[in-house]
Amino acid sequence: MNINSPLLRKFITLGRIDAETVKLKQREFSSTAELIAKCGGIDGHELAEQCIDLFRVPYFDIKDFNVELIPKELVKDKLIREHHILPLVKKGRKLYIAASDPTDYGAFENFEFSTGLSCEVLVVDYRQLEAKIEQLLDAAGSLHLSDEEFKEFSDLDTDSPKEPQNQGDDEKDDAPIIVYINKILMDAIKKGASDLHFEPYEHKYRVRFRIDGILHEMASPPNSLATRLSARIKVMARLDIAEKRKPQDGRIKLKITERKSIDFRVSTLPTLWGEKIVMRILDSSSAMLGIDVLGYEVEQKKLYMDALQQPQGMILVTGPTGSGKTVSLYTGLNILNQPERNISTAEDPVEINLEGINQVQINPRADMTFANALKAFLRQDPDVVMVGEIRDLETAEISIKAAQTGHLVMSTLHTNSAPETLTRLLNMGVPAYNVASSISLIIAQRLARRLCPKCKTPETLPSEELQRQGFSPEQISELTLFAPKGCDSCTDGYKGRVGIYEVMQITPEIAQIIMRGGNSLEIAEVSLRSGFNNLRLSGLRKAAAGMTSLAEINRVTSF
């Protein structure tokens, strides 16, 4: 980014951008145009119009431009990434290039020197330019490679673990493997994947990304490379590459920028045709999102915040694997993380490191179980205790004891709904009076894919069908539902996810049902009467608000 850009100085002179803000924010943006747009409240189209007026450069609508028409010899990955400039077409000795900052003369000179051509600048919308650059580089670095193409795969500018300088022939042969794995990891991060699956089969090897909760096949490298790919990942995760008969667990830290690193949790599993490897992306920024962006409704957020401010009691978060329980717990812990509180957590595994919180890794081989960690916590003068999961009666009893003796306890259970969590504890053998007196709040949750705001389309359904789905006649009269369509900015019409929650406070009436041994159906009925929406009703609200589709709500709530 050119911080001395005449374009930037011009907008400061015009009073559209504050110079002090630019100094504070300059490192947060990848291009001058993005800095101007974000700090000055100027959208991409307006910025392009301002450039046309100020500098008399021609405008080019790049939205429908086919990047496959760009000659391969003009695709200079490093220059394109560094300067955010896209070569378009060559005519004689002239190269037409698209730029969002037509005054970045140093970048244009670099392109002229690299290509030996004279550059003619066309100004474009910076958002459309970034999208086309990603599209071009994704196509140029396609993960679907043949053996011949693989040998010619070019290097990436990443900060993954470096190889020793004095490499032998074997290590040099693995250089394309190193680059390829780096490319996969960077692509997964860019696409917002949560997990990566590397899967060997008899005649095929495939790489899949879990994006917004759904697996998508992204690559199919030559099957002959299966052993080398798994060996490279195991080296990065500091695992035993000679051990192929037992599962192993490890971690990888990948440095993205000077200030940002992303961790990967690595799990290997011996299968019939080789080692399957699953990598979970652990982005600490997800734990810092704040409660306002998680999708809680106003009344649900208030119940959670009120429970967090109580000096004692137990907050339970429940749902299947991948439903966002960890983010909900970490969000609560971040709210509580103040110098006056002593917070300890027992996790298996510790997914995200949180400064100011004492995190303990469960290790059954060393007899460091959830129960033993909890016993130790209670001798450490705790204010808040988080238990990764209540799996057995002993852990449940110690957690409840802590909640009854002046500690705030947070934990998770694998149940389908908030009422079922209570009956699950009773079935474990926890006395009913302990359950009723210690638990203050239960949160059941799911993650639904969020509709892409750019391409979602209105959906019309008969009133009878809407009533069958659970909408009331009053809602139907003013209801507008949306369905996915799909565009360049999303995956199958969805982009990102939104939480759906059932937040149930243990009221005196619910406590009485627990004490007399009532079942989850009775508790669910009273919970609804008390104004606590179940997962289905919360999901329908999200669909009615246009955040997600009815089909997606049906998927995640098993309707």
Side-chain angles (χ1 to χ4, degrees), residues 30-59:
S30 57
S31 68
T32 306
E34 185 182 15
L35 186 151
I36 293 170
K38 296 289 177 64
C39 292
I42 304 167
D43 65 32
H45 185 69
E46 182 188 353
L47 177 58
E49 287 182 338
Q50 291 279 5
C51 289
I52 295 168
D53 291 340
L54 291 170
F55 304 108
R56 303 300 176 188
V57 288
Y59 175 77

mmCIF file of all heavy atoms in Angstrom, residues 30-59:
data_model
loop_
_atom_site.group_PDB
_atom_site.id
_atom_site.type_symbol
_atom_site.label_atom_id
_atom_site.label_comp_id
_atom_site.label_asym_id
_atom_site.label_seq_id
_atom_site.Cartn_x
_atom_site.Cartn_y
_atom_site.Cartn_z
ATOM 1 N N SER A 30 -5.141 -3.464 3.136
ATOM 2 C CA SER A 30 -4.185 -4.025 2.179
ATOM 3 C C SER A 30 -3.911 -3.095 1.004
ATOM 4 O O SER A 30 -2.912 -3.259 0.310
ATOM 5 C CB SER A 30 -4.708 -5.364 1.658
ATOM 6 O OG SER A 30 -5.994 -5.207 1.081
ATOM 7 N N SER A 31 -4.779 -2.124 0.740
ATOM 8 C CA SER A 31 -4.572 -1.224 -0.390
ATOM 9 C C SER A 31 -4.970 0.196 -0.018
ATOM 10 O O SER A 31 -5.751 0.418 0.915
ATOM 11 C CB SER A 31 -5.395 -1.680 -1.606
ATOM 12 O OG SER A 31 -6.777 -1.522 -1.356
ATOM 13 N N THR A 32 -4.415 1.159 -0.752
ATOM 14 C CA THR A 32 -4.740 2.565 -0.511
ATOM 15 C C THR A 32 -6.221 2.828 -0.723
ATOM 16 O O THR A 32 -6.853 3.559 0.043
ATOM 17 C CB THR A 32 -3.909 3.467 -1.451
ATOM 18 O OG1 THR A 32 -2.530 3.142 -1.304
ATOM 19 C CG2 THR A 32 -4.117 4.926 -1.133
ATOM 20 N N ALA A 33 -6.787 2.239 -1.767
ATOM 21 C CA ALA A 33 -8.207 2.445 -2.060
ATOM 22 C C ALA A 33 -9.084 1.939 -0.921
ATOM 23 O O ALA A 33 -10.071 2.582 -0.546
ATOM 24 C CB ALA A 33 -8.573 1.746 -3.367
ATOM 25 N N GLU A 34 -8.736 0.772 -0.367
ATOM 26 C CA GLU A 34 -9.526 0.230 0.741
ATOM 27 C C GLU A 34 -9.432 1.146 1.953
ATOM 28 O O GLU A 34 -10.430 1.397 2.639
ATOM 29 C CB GLU A 34 -9.035 -1.166 1.108
ATOM 30 C CG GLU A 34 -9.896 -1.831 2.175
ATOM 31 C CD GLU A 34 -9.390 -3.204 2.583
ATOM 32 O OE1 GLU A 34 -8.230 -3.540 2.256
ATOM 33 O OE2 GLU A 34 -10.144 -3.929 3.250
ATOM 34 N N LEU A 35 -8.236 1.675 2.238
ATOM 35 C CA LEU A 35 -8.072 2.599 3.363
ATOM 36 C C LEU A 35 -8.948 3.841 3.167
ATOM 37 O O LEU A 35 -9.631 4.279 4.094
ATOM 38 C CB LEU A 35 -6.597 2.987 3.474
ATOM 39 C CG LEU A 35 -6.174 3.839 4.684
ATOM 40 C CD1 LEU A 35 -4.725 3.563 5.062
ATOM 41 C CD2 LEU A 35 -6.342 5.335 4.417
ATOM 42 N N ILE A 36 -8.911 4.402 1.957
ATOM 43 C CA ILE A 36 -9.709 5.596 1.671
ATOM 44 C C ILE A 36 -11.203 5.283 1.823
ATOM 45 O O ILE A 36 -11.952 6.049 2.429
ATOM 46 C CB ILE A 36 -9.416 6.111 0.250
ATOM 47 C CG1 ILE A 36 -7.978 6.628 0.166
ATOM 48 C CG2 ILE A 36 -10.406 7.204 -0.148
ATOM 49 C CD1 ILE A 36 -7.515 6.943 -1.247
ATOM 50 N N ALA A 37 -11.622 4.145 1.272
ATOM 51 C CA ALA A 37 -13.033 3.784 1.306
ATOM 52 C C ALA A 37 -13.520 3.571 2.737
ATOM 53 O O ALA A 37 -14.580 4.074 3.131
ATOM 54 C CB ALA A 37 -13.266 2.525 0.471
ATOM 55 N N LYS A 38 -12.734 2.820 3.539
ATOM 56 C CA LYS A 38 -13.174 2.480 4.895
ATOM 57 C C LYS A 38 -13.069 3.674 5.843
ATOM 58 O O LYS A 38 -13.953 3.907 6.666
ATOM 59 C CB LYS A 38 -12.338 1.308 5.422
ATOM 60 C CG LYS A 38 -12.533 0.026 4.637
ATOM 61 C CD LYS A 38 -13.899 -0.583 4.886
ATOM 62 C CE LYS A 38 -14.111 -1.848 4.036
ATOM 63 N NZ LYS A 38 -13.188 -2.930 4.382
ATOM 64 N N CYS A 39 -11.964 4.431 5.750
ATOM 65 C CA CYS A 39 -11.773 5.562 6.669
ATOM 66 C C CYS A 39 -12.603 6.781 6.269
ATOM 67 O O CYS A 39 -12.931 7.610 7.114
ATOM 68 C CB CYS A 39 -10.299 5.953 6.736
ATOM 69 S SG CYS A 39 -9.252 4.716 7.525
ATOM 70 N N GLY A 40 -12.928 6.886 4.979
ATOM 71 C CA GLY A 40 -13.679 8.046 4.521
ATOM 72 C C GLY A 40 -15.138 7.774 4.249
ATOM 73 O O GLY A 40 -15.875 8.675 3.842
ATOM 74 N N GLY A 41 -15.573 6.532 4.465
ATOM 75 C CA GLY A 41 -16.969 6.196 4.221
ATOM 76 C C GLY A 41 -17.353 6.315 2.761
ATOM 77 O O GLY A 41 -18.470 6.713 2.412
ATOM 78 N N ILE A 42 -16.406 5.971 1.861
ATOM 79 C CA ILE A 42 -16.625 6.113 0.420
ATOM 80 C C ILE A 42 -16.704 4.729 -0.198
ATOM 81 O O ILE A 42 -15.805 3.910 -0.002
ATOM 82 C CB ILE A 42 -15.464 6.902 -0.236
ATOM 83 C CG1 ILE A 42 -15.307 8.253 0.467
ATOM 84 C CG2 ILE A 42 -15.690 7.077 -1.719
ATOM 85 C CD1 ILE A 42 -14.022 8.974 0.125
ATOM 86 N N ASP A 43 -17.772 4.432 -0.947
ATOM 87 C CA ASP A 43 -17.856 3.098 -1.546
ATOM 88 C C ASP A 43 -16.988 3.035 -2.815
ATOM 89 O O ASP A 43 -16.485 4.046 -3.303
ATOM 90 C CB ASP A 43 -19.304 2.704 -1.844
ATOM 91 C CG ASP A 43 -19.977 3.567 -2.894
ATOM 92 O OD1 ASP A 43 -19.279 4.053 -3.813
ATOM 93 O OD2 ASP A 43 -21.204 3.755 -2.808
ATOM 94 N N GLY A 44 -16.805 1.809 -3.309
ATOM 95 C CA GLY A 44 -15.894 1.589 -4.427
ATOM 96 C C GLY A 44 -16.261 2.363 -5.669
ATOM 97 O O GLY A 44 -15.381 2.893 -6.363
ATOM 98 N N HIS A 45 -17.560 2.454 -5.980
ATOM 99 C CA HIS A 45 -17.993 3.159 -7.195
ATOM 100 C C HIS A 45 -17.740 4.653 -7.075
ATOM 101 O O HIS A 45 -17.246 5.300 -8.018
ATOM 102 C CB HIS A 45 -19.471 2.892 -7.448
ATOM 103 C CG HIS A 45 -19.980 3.471 -8.731
ATOM 104 N ND1 HIS A 45 -19.590 2.992 -9.966
ATOM 105 C CD2 HIS A 45 -20.829 4.511 -8.977
ATOM 106 C CE1 HIS A 45 -20.182 3.696 -10.921
ATOM 107 N NE2 HIS A 45 -20.932 4.617 -10.349
ATOM 108 N N GLU A 46 -18.047 5.228 -5.897
ATOM 109 C CA GLU A 46 -17.826 6.661 -5.700
ATOM 110 C C GLU A 46 -16.339 6.993 -5.768
ATOM 111 O O GLU A 46 -15.934 8.020 -6.335
ATOM 112 C CB GLU A 46 -18.393 7.121 -4.359
ATOM 113 C CG GLU A 46 -18.238 8.629 -4.134
ATOM 114 C CD GLU A 46 -18.615 9.075 -2.736
ATOM 115 O OE1 GLU A 46 -19.126 8.252 -1.959
ATOM 116 O OE2 GLU A 46 -18.383 10.262 -2.429
ATOM 117 N N LEU A 47 -15.514 6.095 -5.188
ATOM 118 C CA LEU A 47 -14.067 6.312 -5.214
ATOM 119 C C LEU A 47 -13.560 6.348 -6.654
ATOM 120 O O LEU A 47 -12.742 7.203 -7.023
ATOM 121 C CB LEU A 47 -13.371 5.211 -4.422
ATOM 122 C CG LEU A 47 -11.836 5.241 -4.392
ATOM 123 C CD1 LEU A 47 -11.340 6.564 -3.832
ATOM 124 C CD2 LEU A 47 -11.309 4.082 -3.560
ATOM 125 N N ALA A 48 -14.056 5.422 -7.469
ATOM 126 C CA ALA A 48 -13.644 5.405 -8.876
ATOM 127 C C ALA A 48 -14.071 6.692 -9.583
ATOM 128 O O ALA A 48 -13.309 7.271 -10.373
ATOM 129 C CB ALA A 48 -14.249 4.190 -9.573
ATOM 130 N N GLU A 49 -15.298 7.178 -9.302
ATOM 131 C CA GLU A 49 -15.777 8.415 -9.924
ATOM 132 C C GLU A 49 -14.911 9.607 -9.514
ATOM 133 O O GLU A 49 -14.623 10.492 -10.327
ATOM 134 C CB GLU A 49 -17.236 8.657 -9.530
ATOM 135 C CG GLU A 49 -18.221 7.706 -10.214
ATOM 136 C CD GLU A 49 -19.666 8.014 -9.841
ATOM 137 O OE1 GLU A 49 -19.878 8.639 -8.777
ATOM 138 O OE2 GLU A 49 -20.572 7.637 -10.613
ATOM 139 N N GLN A 50 -14.515 9.625 -8.229
ATOM 140 C CA GLN A 50 -13.647 10.709 -7.752
ATOM 141 C C GLN A 50 -12.310 10.693 -8.489
ATOM 142 O O GLN A 50 -11.765 11.734 -8.846
ATOM 143 C CB GLN A 50 -13.409 10.562 -6.245
ATOM 144 C CG GLN A 50 -14.624 10.822 -5.381
ATOM 145 C CD GLN A 50 -14.868 12.310 -5.151
ATOM 146 O OE1 GLN A 50 -14.177 13.152 -5.714
ATOM 147 N NE2 GLN A 50 -15.872 12.626 -4.348
ATOM 148 N N CYS A 51 -11.780 9.491 -8.728
ATOM 149 C CA CYS A 51 -10.507 9.370 -9.454
ATOM 150 C C CYS A 51 -10.634 9.899 -10.879
ATOM 151 O O CYS A 51 -9.728 10.574 -11.395
ATOM 152 C CB CYS A 51 -10.059 7.910 -9.485
ATOM 153 S SG CYS A 51 -9.495 7.273 -7.889
ATOM 154 N N ILE A 52 -11.762 9.598 -11.514
ATOM 155 C CA ILE A 52 -11.988 10.063 -12.886
ATOM 156 C C ILE A 52 -12.013 11.586 -12.926
ATOM 157 O O ILE A 52 -11.391 12.226 -13.785
ATOM 158 C CB ILE A 52 -13.313 9.485 -13.435
ATOM 159 C CG1 ILE A 52 -13.222 7.964 -13.543
ATOM 160 C CG2 ILE A 52 -13.649 10.100 -14.789
ATOM 161 C CD1 ILE A 52 -14.560 7.290 -13.784
ATOM 162 N N ASP A 53 -12.733 12.189 -11.949
ATOM 163 C CA ASP A 53 -12.844 13.651 -11.910
ATOM 164 C C ASP A 53 -11.514 14.321 -11.566
ATOM 165 O O ASP A 53 -11.145 15.347 -12.146
ATOM 166 C CB ASP A 53 -13.909 14.074 -10.890
ATOM 167 C CG ASP A 53 -15.314 13.707 -11.341
ATOM 168 O OD1 ASP A 53 -15.489 13.489 -12.553
ATOM 169 O OD2 ASP A 53 -16.213 13.620 -10.483
ATOM 170 N N LEU A 54 -10.791 13.749 -10.599
ATOM 171 C CA LEU A 54 -9.575 14.371 -10.108
ATOM 172 C C LEU A 54 -8.399 14.212 -11.060
ATOM 173 O O LEU A 54 -7.604 15.140 -11.241
ATOM 174 C CB LEU A 54 -9.201 13.794 -8.735
ATOM 175 C CG LEU A 54 -10.114 14.155 -7.567
ATOM 176 C CD1 LEU A 54 -9.770 13.312 -6.341
ATOM 177 C CD2 LEU A 54 -9.977 15.641 -7.226
ATOM 178 N N PHE A 55 -8.278 13.021 -11.685
ATOM 179 C CA PHE A 55 -7.054 12.720 -12.437
ATOM 180 C C PHE A 55 -7.298 12.466 -13.930
ATOM 181 O O PHE A 55 -6.372 12.146 -14.663
ATOM 182 C CB PHE A 55 -6.356 11.513 -11.814
ATOM 183 C CG PHE A 55 -6.059 11.701 -10.348
ATOM 184 C CD1 PHE A 55 -6.779 10.996 -9.391
ATOM 185 C CD2 PHE A 55 -5.104 12.597 -9.927
ATOM 186 C CE1 PHE A 55 -6.523 11.175 -8.037
ATOM 187 C CE2 PHE A 55 -4.837 12.786 -8.580
ATOM 188 C CZ PHE A 55 -5.555 12.077 -7.632
ATOM 189 N N ARG A 56 -8.556 12.575 -14.372
ATOM 190 C CA ARG A 56 -8.889 12.441 -15.787
ATOM 191 C C ARG A 56 -8.375 11.137 -16.397
ATOM 192 O O ARG A 56 -7.760 11.121 -17.458
ATOM 193 C CB ARG A 56 -8.324 13.634 -16.583
ATOM 194 C CG ARG A 56 -8.786 14.981 -16.100
ATOM 195 C CD ARG A 56 -10.293 15.125 -16.174
ATOM 196 N NE ARG A 56 -10.754 16.390 -15.627
ATOM 197 C CZ ARG A 56 -12.034 16.690 -15.430
ATOM 198 N NH1 ARG A 56 -12.962 15.796 -15.746
ATOM 199 N NH2 ARG A 56 -12.378 17.842 -14.923
ATOM 200 N N VAL A 57 -8.620 10.033 -15.701
ATOM 201 C CA VAL A 57 -8.235 8.719 -16.220
ATOM 202 C C VAL A 57 -9.508 7.972 -16.644
ATOM 203 O O VAL A 57 -10.582 8.189 -16.076
ATOM 204 C CB VAL A 57 -7.478 7.888 -15.153
ATOM 205 C CG1 VAL A 57 -6.097 8.457 -14.931
ATOM 206 C CG2 VAL A 57 -8.251 7.826 -13.851
ATOM 207 N N PRO A 58 -9.401 7.125 -17.653
ATOM 208 C CA PRO A 58 -10.594 6.403 -18.117
ATOM 209 C C PRO A 58 -11.037 5.348 -17.103
ATOM 210 O O PRO A 58 -10.228 4.759 -16.390
ATOM 211 C CB PRO A 58 -10.126 5.754 -19.429
ATOM 212 C CG PRO A 58 -8.647 5.675 -19.313
ATOM 213 C CD PRO A 58 -8.218 6.841 -18.475
ATOM 214 N N TYR A 59 -12.367 5.097 -17.070
ATOM 215 C CA TYR A 59 -12.963 4.099 -16.171
ATOM 216 C C TYR A 59 -13.238 2.818 -16.951
ATOM 217 O O TYR A 59 -13.611 2.847 -18.124
ATOM 218 C CB TYR A 59 -14.265 4.635 -15.577
ATOM 219 C CG TYR A 59 -15.011 3.633 -14.734
ATOM 220 C CD1 TYR A 59 -14.597 3.338 -13.442
ATOM 221 C CD2 TYR A 59 -16.136 2.971 -15.240
ATOM 222 C CE1 TYR A 59 -15.279 2.417 -12.661
ATOM 223 C CE2 TYR A 59 -16.819 2.042 -14.473
ATOM 224 C CZ TYR A 59 -16.385 1.765 -13.184
ATOM 225 O OH TYR A 59 -17.061 0.847 -12.428
#
